[in-house]
Amino acid sequence: MERKKFLKITGSAAALAFFGGITSLLESCKRASMDMSSAISVITGKFDNILRLPPIINGTSPINLVAKRNTASIIKGKTSYVLGYGDSILAPIIKVNNGQNVSINFQNQLEEITNIHWHGLIIPENMDGHPRYLVQPNSTFNYQFSINQQAGTNWFHPHPHLKTGRQVFRGLAGMFIVNDSEEAALNLPSGEFELPVIIQDKRIYADGSINYSPEEMDVMSGYFGQYICVNGSWSAYHNVKTKVYRLRILNGSNARVYNLSFSNGIPFNIIGSDSGLLGSTQIIGNVILSPGERIDVLVDFSSLSVGAEFYLQSNTFNGGDSQGSESFKIMKFNVTEQVPETFSIPSSLVAFVPISPSLSIKTRTFDISNIHMAMPENGNMNMGMNMDMSKMHNIGGKSFDMERIDETVSANTTEIWEFDNAAGEDLHPMHLHGVQFQVISRTGGRGVILPHEMGWKDTVLCMPGEKVKIIMTFPNNLGTFAFHCHNLEHEDSGMMLNFKIV
Ligand SMILES: [Cu+2]
C-alpha cells in the first residue's frame, strides 16, 4: 500500500473513533478502495419545483437575523427539517452600499454554539466570525461594521470549529451583496432580471430531515448529497423572458465542485469574481466553481424563443480522487415571455488595477497536499482512539489550533502566498479571511489563470498537481484571522491556520 494512502486510511479509522463508531482498520481499507464518486450518485427529478427566491433585506436599517430550526419545501410536496436565518432554509439576501454602516442583531436560537463569518467582507477581526468568537445558545450578538469595498457578491455562514460543516449543510448560509456607484453606472440587469443562484447539495432522510453524519470517507473527500438544490429548492425551474439576466452564482456546498455550463450552449459573460467586478467581460462556455467561490455573470436569453427549455448543468471534469466523475442537471429555465431587449452586454466594466508582484515584501509557501498527517506534539503517531478527527487534514503539516498564530503579517504590506498541491490527490479551495487577493499564477494541472479568476478573489481552487500563487495587500484591520480549505469537512478536520495582522 502506498504510504500516503496508508496514512489517509489510518486517519480515517481515527475519524470513526471520533464519531463513536467501531470499525477495524481492515474495514476502513475495504471502504477506501470503493470508488468514492459512485457512492453518492446525484438524483435527478422532473424540474417541476418552482425556484425559491430568498427575500431581500436592505441593509440601510438594522437587520435582525435569527439562527433557528425551520421547515422548508426542498423537495416538492415534502417538508424538510432545516436550519435557517429566517423562516426557511438559508437567509434573506442582504444588500448594502459601499460606505454604509451595517448593524446586524444576531440571535442564536439553536441548541448549540454558532457565529457568523462574513465571507468576502473586509471588516475588523472581532466582527469577522473567527471560531474564537462564538455566540452561545439563547444569546445575541450585534455585528457592526462599515462597508469599505467595491461592489461584489459576498456571503455569510457559521464558523464554529468542528461544527461549521454540519451547520452549513443543514441550511445556515446567505448572500451578502455590496453595491457601489461604479457598478450602478453600468446599468446592469436588476429586479426580476437579477437572480441569486445558491448551489448546494443535500443528503435528505426519508423523514425530510437533512442527514449530516460523516463517516471516514466523507471526512477525507468531503460530505456530498444526492439532491442538488438551488436557493434551497431541489429539481427547480424558473420562468424567464427573452432578456439579458444577471446571475449571481454561489457555490455554497460543503465539498462539491461544479463544472457549470448551459445545456443549450449559451455562454457565460463573466463580469465578476468572488468579491468584485472585473475590468472586462470574459466570455466562456463553462466554469469550474468550488465551495466558497462566486461568479457574477450575464447570460443573454434574448435570442431564444418562447417555449425553449434548457438547463444549468454540471459536466464531468478531472478533479482528483473524489470529484468530477458525474454530469448532472442543476436547474431548468423555461422561456415563457417574449419582450424587447435593448441592453447590450458591456465589454469594459470597472477600473481594475492588478497588484504588481514587485510590491511583494515576502513570499510564503504552504504545502496543502496532505500527503503527510499532521504530527502530534509528542511526535508519536497514535493510531485509533487517541487520534481525533481534528488532525486528519493539515496545511504545511499543521492542523488547526485556535490560539496558535501561524503567520504574522504587517498591515498595509503586500505579500505573495503560494498554495502547493503538486503532490496532492484531492482538490482544495483555499480561502483567506480578512483580505482580498488576486491570482497571479497557476502551474501544473490546469496551468493557467482562469477567466473567473481575473479579479478580486477570497477563495481559489487548487486542483491536484497545481501550485497557485496569490498576491494581496493586508488591510489595516489588526488581529487574528483564519485561512483554510473551504471543503468544510477538510476545514473541520484541521485544514485551517491563523494569521495575525500587526
Ligand atoms: Cu481541502
Side-chain angles (χ1 to χ4, degrees):
M1 189 184 295
E2 288 173 59
R3 177 178 158 79
K4 51 188 170 183
K5 281 276 188 229
F6 173 75
L7 287 173
K8 277 185 160 188
I9 289 160
T10 52
S12 69
L16 262 198
F18 176 85
F19 290 109
I22 298 167
T23 193
S24 67
L25 188 59
L26 188 68
E27 182 63 19
S28 296
C29 287
K30 249 192 299 184
R31 297 186 71 116
S33 66
M34 275 164 41
D35 176 9
M36 201 28 226
S37 50
S38 64
I40 296 291
S41 284
V42 168
I43 297 174
T44 301
K46 295 181 186 152
F47 294 94
D48 58 354
N49 191 12
I50 192 162
L51 179 71
R52 187 176 165 270
L53 293 175
I56 295 171
I57 300 184
N58 188 324
T60 44
S61 346
I63 295 166
N64 293 309
L65 282 185
V66 182
K68 61 185 177 74
R69 289 166 178 271
N70 288 319
T71 57
S73 174
I74 297 175
I75 297 173
K76 192 181 180 185
K78 278 192 177 180
T79 299
S80 287
Y81 300 91
V82 301
L83 303 181
Y85 289 116
D87 294 324
S88 181
I89 192 170
L90 299 169
I93 293 172
I94 299 175
K95 269 194 159 185
V96 302
N97 290 314
N98 186 18
Q100 191 182 312
N101 294 319
V102 180
S103 172
I104 294 147
N105 299 306
F106 174 58
Q107 227 185 92
N108 178 10
Q109 287 185 4
L110 306 176
E111 283 122 42
E112 60 182 359
I113 51 168
T114 189
N115 66 359
I116 302 180
H117 167 53
W118 308 92
H119 185 133
L121 298 188
I122 306 307
I123 53 177
E125 67 124 36
N126 60 344
M127 294 292 147
D128 175 73
H130 187 279
R132 285 175 301 138
Y133 293 104
L134 297 167
V135 183
Q136 298 298 320
N138 300 310
S139 299
T140 59
F141 185 80
N142 182 223
Y143 288 97
Q144 276 188 310
F145 43 81
S146 53
I147 303 295
N148 180 28
Q149 62 189 75
Q150 70 284 341
T153 305
N154 304 287
W155 66 301
F156 57 98
H157 59 79
H159 216 293
H161 191 45
L162 303 173
K163 297 180 191 296
T164 300
R166 183 155 47 86
Q167 292 187 359
V168 174
F169 202 79
R170 293 185 64 199
L172 291 175
M175 197 174 264
F176 192 107
I177 293 172
V178 177
N179 297 119
D180 70 9
S181 54
E182 220 183 347
E183 176 198 34
L186 294 169
N187 284 310
L188 296 169
S190 61
E192 67 173 297
F193 305 108
E194 179 184 356
L195 201 64
V197 178
I198 304 171
I199 307 173
Q200 299 177 302
D201 55 339
K202 304 289 179 201
R203 256 186 240 187
I204 302 173
Y205 282 120
D207 74 353
S209 56
I210 293 181
N211 177 340
Y212 189 80
S213 51
E215 293 186 21
E216 70 275 27
M217 290 304 291
D218 300 312
V219 178
M220 276 195 275
S221 308
Y223 202 72
F224 297 91
Q226 301 96 324
Y227 295 95
I228 310 295
C229 304
V230 177
N231 303 340
S233 304
W234 172 67
S235 198
Y237 74 92
H238 188 67
N239 292 338
V240 296
K241 298 174 180 168
T242 53
K243 295 276 279 184
V244 174
Y245 280 71
R246 180 182 192 178
L247 307 186
R248 294 180 183 266
I249 305 178
L250 157 66
N251 183 350
S253 308
N254 277 35
R256 192 184 284 276
V257 174
Y258 304 92
N259 181 9
L260 300 173
S261 70
F262 282 109
S263 60
N264 59 355
I266 283 188
F268 294 121
N269 296 271
I270 301 181
I271 58 167
S273 51
D274 292 341
S275 40
L277 293 168
L278 306 184
S280 59
T281 302
Q282 305 290 317
I283 305 169
I284 191 163
N286 74 300
V287 177
I288 295 182
L289 201 67
S290 66
E293 283 190 295
R294 292 85 73 200
I295 47 171
D296 198 344
V297 298
L298 297 178
V299 287
D300 187 356
F301 301 153
S302 66
S303 62
L304 301 177
S305 311
V306 170
E309 299 178 344
F310 57 99
Y311 296 88
L312 179 66
Q313 64 190 18
S314 181
N315 302 323
T316 58
F317 61 95
N318 185 6
D321 271 2
S322 56
Q323 299 239 20
S325 62
E326 223 180 341
S327 64
F328 48 84
K329 293 165 178 156
I330 295 170
M331 69 168 285
K332 184 183 184 185
F333 290 88
N334 301 317
V335 181
T336 54
E337 196 179 335
Q338 179 90 39
V339 289
E341 176 58 292
T342 52
F343 178 81
S344 65
I345 293 175
S347 57
S348 176
L349 298 166
V350 297
F352 174 76
V353 182
I355 305 173
S356 168
S358 67
L359 294 174
S360 171
I361 59 161
K362 187 169 177 137
T363 297
R364 300 175 201 243
T365 298
F366 299 94
D367 178 357
I368 58 164
S369 66
N370 277 276
I371 52 171
H372 306 291
M373 299 279 294
M375 293 297 286
E377 304 279 295
N378 63 10
N380 292 324
M381 294 287 279
N382 292 319
M383 302 304 178
M385 300 303 285
N386 293 332
M387 194 163 207
D388 66 38
M389 183 195 85
S390 68
K391 297 278 190 280
M392 275 184 63
H393 285 93
N394 66 77
I395 297 173
K398 291 196 281 186
S399 285
F400 186 56
D401 179 327
M402 192 85 79
E403 302 299 333
R404 186 187 61 216
I405 305 300
D406 299 288
E407 305 294 331
T408 303
V409 304
S410 298
N412 306 313
T413 65
T414 300
E415 295 196 7
I416 292 171
W417 285 17
E418 180 181 61
F419 295 115
D420 182 352
N421 199 23
E425 295 178 336
D426 284 324
L427 52 81
H428 302 288
M430 298 304 296
H431 169 52
L432 274 70
H433 291 209
V435 66
Q436 288 173 359
F437 57 75
Q438 297 174 7
V439 181
I440 54 169
S441 75
R442 175 181 282 107
T443 53
R446 293 171 291 168
V448 292
I449 300 172
L450 294 148
H452 69 286
E453 296 175 327
M454 296 177 173
W456 291 110
K457 297 278 291 169
D458 52 56
T459 308
V460 64
L461 175 59
C462 307
M463 287 284 198
E466 292 182 355
K467 289 185 189 184
V468 177
K469 274 188 188 160
I470 61 171
I471 191 166
M472 64 215 134
T473 302
F474 296 99
N476 197 24
N477 285 327
L478 307 186
T480 301
F481 295 87
F483 68 105
H484 59 87
C485 178
H486 220 285
N487 174 317
L488 298 183
E489 286 67 47
H490 291 183
E491 175 192 338
D492 275 339
S493 63
M495 200 168 172
M496 172 155 64
L497 298 181
N498 285 318
F499 72 98
K500 187 172 186 179
I501 304 179
V502 296

